Amino acid sequence: MTPQARPGGAVVTFEHVTKRYGPPGVPPAVDDLSLAIPAGEICVLVGPSGCGKTTTMRMINRLAEPTAGRITIDGQDVRDLSAVELRRGIGYVIQQVGLFPHLTVGENVAIVPRLLRWPEPRIRERVEELLELVGLEPGAYRARYPASLSGGERQRVGVARALAADPPVMLMDEPFGAVDPILRDRLQNELLRLQAKVGKTIVFVTHDVDEAIKMADRVAILRRGGVLAQFDTPEAILSAPASEFVEHFVGADRGLKRLSLAKVRDLQLIQPLIVRVGEPRVEVRRRMEVDGTGYALLVDAADRPLGWVDSAELAADGTLTEEEATPGAPPLQPETTLRDALSTLLGSSVQLGVVTDERDRVLGLLSVDAISEVLRPDATAPRS
Amino acid sequence: MEFLGEVAAWFSDPASWEGRNSIPLRLWEHVSLSATALALGVLIALPIGLAIGHSGRGARAAVAITNIGRAIPSLGWLGMVLPITLVLFERGGLGFLPALIALVALAIPPIVTNTYAGLREVDRELIDAARGMGMGERRILTAVEVPIALPVILAGVRSSAVQVVATATLAAVVAGGTLGDFILQGIFVRDLPRVFGAALMVAVLALATEGLFALLQRLATSPGLRAATDVGRTS
């Protein structure tokens, strides 16, 4: 990831932290853990169940207290503040989102600002700003209750709520664990896009290696008993696993996984011939002849893709209509990993994906060939 | 038909509406005794239910004690309480006081168990989220657990209230008045229309109580807690 000024993060360090549930002698849940998470980075804690990843995260906001050792945020010991004060300054997102069902979306987002006794006008302004930030139109969503939201919308509200008081550190406990794979990819992309804007230090817990590799600036792999197996960038973990355990945990398909390091936006996209609904067919035919590929991508007035138009099937005159498009181009986003893109493309009839931005406007096309180019042995996974 | 006419005659007799044995007086005794018993019951049972529901501690003991309370019939409570209040307060130990104690004992168990159960049903994840956002324990209770458990808690209060209103009739046995007094009188003087008329009033009062609390329950429940289907996309 490009080094850039990260506005909102704080350094989180673990110094010889041990957590034991029960008397000495019982194997610890977390064993002598030391690591430093740089400000503004996403650090993913990953490992098999029972590796203490959730406990490790929960010690940062003192939902679990270490048996020994010290945790600091920007140099300050987390025990210097009362647990309640500390937690108000740390964003927290859990797997089931944990939105309060008896409160509206707006009230849910306003919880921490209210705890901090912000003046009402400032809270109202902040709620608007956050809902917009996570892509939910405030007017339409503020007064709704969680029960009427889709899973993805709830997740977005959960993230907005965690960001409410602009905390330097966010804790996310398997935030996308309960959603289907397609939605998960979208939400992951949204979080990455959001993180590019807010630059928080995010501690993210997952048991999914692919998610770890995609989301992380740095991955901490833990093994049973809370022992740190490796703490490094995703590239380093894939290319130089520190131990057999890491190699095994990351999986035999390391080569393929390297595709998870690169995103669609890292590749040169093909610029297709784009024709718009309402264009005269005579003009379209002329442009397709000049282009020579025999097909064009039909978009609507807002540049959103509708499907393919074949020159052989183009009627003689009149103007292009929406019905003329043959759908089937799998949609991709710039943040989608090449691994996910490849599997999407292989699963569709047209092995050419349409890459769109967050407003669904066409950015270009991606082919399977372009991805396999990256897989060539001498090629290194590009990561800008 | 003739019987119902006699019941109507009792209701329309001006003598039934004045003096020391009038319908308004007995009704007032009934309502005030019930309301006092319910209020005291809530005051005692709610804190107990909240404490064990929030902490999860002491639940078994509290449930055991309330079950014993339930197992003793209200007449049994009167029989146990009356000798004590008579010794302590002599003539003041008759009537209102023993009846009140028996009714409070009746009101407590449903409120304790419903409050406890309502709080325990609140998703642990929500409480974890609340704690993780920096809510103190008291605020978790008042801002998260109680509002979410409120329909269940109020259902407990509602069932207590209906039982208390119906059982307040027994106060007549210890000279506590209430609509039950008409029933006793009716039995002694073999005036069945009076018995029937009084029983009818108790039944109507109990149903009205039920209705009142059902309404209260509905008003106090957040729209977000009702079924997802009728949660307003428009609201």
Side-chain angles (χ1 to χ4, degrees), chain B residues 23-38:
Chain B
I23 292 173
L25 179 68
R26 296 292 179 228
L27 192 63
W28 164 247
E29 284 169 347
H30 202 110
V31 170
S32 59
L33 175 65
S34 301
T36 312
L38 185 68

Side-chain angles (χ1 to χ4, degrees), chain B residues 60-74 77 80 105 109 113:
Chain B
R60 231 186 277 174
V63 170
I65 291 167
T66 52
N67 277 342
I68 292 170
R70 263 194 238 246
I72 301 173
S74 298
W77 276 106
M80 289 194 298
T113 47

Side-chain angles (χ1 to χ4, degrees), chain A residues 58 87-88 92 94 102 144, chain B residues 125 128 131 134 143 222:
Chain A
R58 290 170 71 89
R87 289 171 193 157
R88 289 176 187 174
Y92 188 49
I94 59 175
H102 61 298
R144 282 171 62 175
Chain B
E125 297 261 352
D128 183 63
R131 196 167 284 137
S222 156

Side-chain angles (χ1 to χ4, degrees), chain A residues 58 61 63 84 87-88 90 92 94-103 111-112 115 117 140 143-145 147-148 161, chain B residues 125-136 139 143-144 147-148 222-228 231-233 235:
Chain A
R58 290 170 71 89
N61 67 353
L63 285 170
V84 163
R87 289 171 193 157
R88 289 176 187 174
I90 297 176
Y92 188 49
I94 59 175
Q95 182 176 348
Q96 301 298 344
V97 193
L99 294 185
F100 298 133
H102 61 298
L103 301 180
I111 285 172
V112 178
L115 289 174
R117 296 178 189 283
R144 282 171 62 175
Y145 285 93
S148 74
R161 184 172 74 170
Chain B
E125 297 261 352
L126 289 182
I127 293 166
D128 183 63
R131 196 167 284 137
M133 280 189 289
M135 285 195 191
R139 196 184 293 264
V144 180
I148 293 173
S222 156
L225 295 175
R226 292 182 205 138
V231 170
R233 289 185 176 252
S235 69

Side-chain angles (χ1 to χ4, degrees), chain A residues 19 38 63 194 212 257 289 356 361:
Chain A
K19 172 68 182 176
L63 285 170
L194 190 64
K257 279 215 170 65
E289 266 160 31
T356 56
R361 290 177 304 213

Side-chain angles (χ1 to χ4, degrees), chain A residues 307-327:
Chain A
W308 304 104
V309 178
D310 193 328
S311 63
E313 287 166 21
L314 204 60
D317 46 16
T319 55
L320 281 178
T321 63
E322 289 192 17
E323 289 73 41
E324 247 152 310
T326 313

